[in-house]
Amino acid sequence: MTGPEKKTDEARQGVTGTGTRYVFAISTVAAVVALFAIAFVFFGAPDMGLDDAQSGADATPPYEMPEETPDWQEPAPVQNPASPSAP
């Protein structure tokens, strides 16, 4: 099959050399930066838990120990509603 033959540049249907890849890369980076800036304005800086970090033996537990309570406690007095409590 013989027919007209074209060179590669002539057969291409697009125009080359316009820097499309650079425009795409720069606009993608700009969009990501804009989204992070908008999120920062609305939600503030991210809290990554750095304030709660523990370091070695100086660390305190994340909870407080309860105060000492006795093993037994006196039961609450029970009042019988049927018996009058007249003095």
Side-chain angles (χ1 to χ4, degrees):
M1 181 186 247
T2 61
E5 292 186 17
K6 295 183 178 181
K7 294 182 182 176
T8 305
D9 288 339
E10 293 173 355
R12 221 179 252 133
Q13 294 194 8
V15 179
T16 60
T18 58
T20 306
R21 69 180 78 155
Y22 302 114
V23 172
F24 175 72
I26 291 170
S27 63
T28 302
V29 170
V32 169
V33 169
L35 287 175
F36 274 108
I38 291 170
F40 182 78
V41 167
F42 281 101
F43 302 113
D47 181 21
M48 297 187 181
L50 299 177
D51 297 335
D52 300 334
Q54 298 179 358
S55 59
D58 297 337
T60 57
Y63 55 87
E64 294 181 14
M65 297 297 292
E67 294 180 13
E68 296 235 2
T69 57
D71 291 339
W72 58 272
Q73 293 181 352
E74 294 182 22
V78 178
Q79 295 178 352
N80 190 353
S83 67
S85 59

